[in-house]
Amino acid sequence: SAVISQKPSRDICQRGTSLTIQCQVDSQVTMMFWYRQQPGQSLTLIATANQGSEATYESGFVIDKFPISRPNLTFSTLTVSNMSPEDSSIYLCSVGSGNEQFFGPGTRLTVL
Amino acid sequence: QKEVEQNSGPLSVPEGAIASLNCTYSDRGSQSFFWYRQYSGKSPELIMSIYSNGDKEDGRFTAQLNKASQYVSLLIRDSQPSDSATYLCAVSLNNAGNMLTFGGGTRLMVKP
């Protein structure tokens, strides 16, 4: 499976600020996804990052809050905008390979 | 609404025993089923996928699928303390590697 890296691995941010998370894959992939895992919870899909077009957001997530870029088939970014303590979560990117999805190491975000 | 249900646990088994993890899903049209293992502080790791009724074995792991009962399970034989983790069941409506819905996860504890 592809090797997936994320930056930063963790960050502590002040409310009202924004953080951009990067996801890099070592091979070209068609499908990339962004998930959120709140403390003690399971994974919730935020959006599908589409190369060359706008991301497809799941119910409850909007582009103004979570803008996503996908400039090519190996890279994507997720921005968490105007953060509040409720945004404290682990953010994970994943890639589709065949019928399966594989996850990056995640970004642990704490908002004070 | 798509739902994937798991007993949150913890499920405690002695070392060497069989651990049985269960998952039910609500959408009868679901086609792909996955088990992920997540160690504390780490990202989910895919350990099994299953697409047709019956059993699928991979080493100490066996996935079982019963579409009529909308039920998928994971058996871990000869459980080891290193198997202690949260196991996430994920279900997809297609075989394209997207549209995953995750259950809440079952925490497994294997006691030496």
Side-chain angles (χ1 to χ4, degrees):
Chain A
S1 59
V3 176
I4 308 166
S5 59
Q6 284 186 236
K7 283 196 249 187
S9 59
R10 59 178 62 227
D11 208 340
I12 300 173
C13 300
Q14 297 298 317
R15 69 173 65 208
T17 63
S18 298
L19 177 72
T20 295
I21 303 167
Q22 299 178 6
C23 180
Q24 179 76 54
V25 189
D26 70 344
S27 59
Q28 293 186 339
V29 293
T30 303
M31 292 185 292
M32 292 182 75
F33 309 92
W34 287 98
Y35 287 82
R36 180 175 72 182
Q37 188 172 30
Q38 295 178 300
Q41 303 296 315
S42 190
L43 282 74
T44 301
L45 179 63
I46 297 171
T48 301
N50 301 308
Q51 194 268 328
S53 64
E54 194 170 284
T56 303
Y57 290 84
E58 297 300 306
S59 176
F61 297 96
V62 296
I63 187 171
D64 290 347
K65 175 67 176 177
F66 298 102
I68 288 170
S69 78
R70 177 91 191 268
N72 57 53
L73 292 176
T74 64
F75 186 78
S76 178
T77 67
L78 168 74
T79 298
V80 186
S81 302
N82 188 23
M83 289 183 285
S84 66
E86 292 70 36
D87 294 319
S88 297
S89 291
I90 298 172
Y91 292 86
L92 297 138
C93 72
S94 74
V95 302
S97 178
N99 298 338
E100 300 170 338
Q101 277 191 38
F102 300 91
F103 285 86
T107 296
R108 183 179 295 271
L109 171 62
T110 301
V111 184
L112 302 178
Chain B
Q1 181 178 352
K2 295 173 287 187
E3 290 186 351
V4 180
E5 301 287 341
Q6 296 181 255
N7 189 318
S8 62
L11 173 65
S12 183
V13 301
E15 183 175 356
I18 296 175
S20 178
L21 306 164
N22 304 315
C23 172
T24 59
Y25 58 94
S26 62
D27 198 318
R28 191 169 287 278
S30 299
Q31 297 189 34
S32 305
F33 308 85
F34 307 91
W35 284 99
Y36 287 83
R37 178 176 62 198
Q38 187 173 26
Y39 292 115
S40 180
K42 301 295 185 182
S43 65
E45 172 192 9
L46 180 65
I47 54 172
M48 290 288 287
S49 56
I50 187 167
Y51 305 99
S52 56
N53 282 328
D55 294 0
K56 179 181 178 182
E57 185 175 321
D58 184 1
R60 295 186 297 113
F61 299 101
T62 298
Q64 299 176 317
L65 175 61
N66 184 326
K67 289 186 177 180
S69 300
Q70 296 175 236
Y71 176 94
V72 58
S73 64
L74 179 70
L75 301 178
I76 305 175
R77 289 182 300 281
D78 188 24
S79 295
Q80 302 297 309
S82 59
D83 294 325
S84 298
T86 296
Y87 289 80
L88 300 167
C89 173
V91 174
S92 175
L93 288 175
N94 59 31
N95 292 323
N98 59 3
M99 298 178 64
L100 284 186
T101 300
F102 282 84
T106 298
R107 183 177 166 211
L108 173 66
M109 298 174 59
V110 181
K111 297 190 173 182

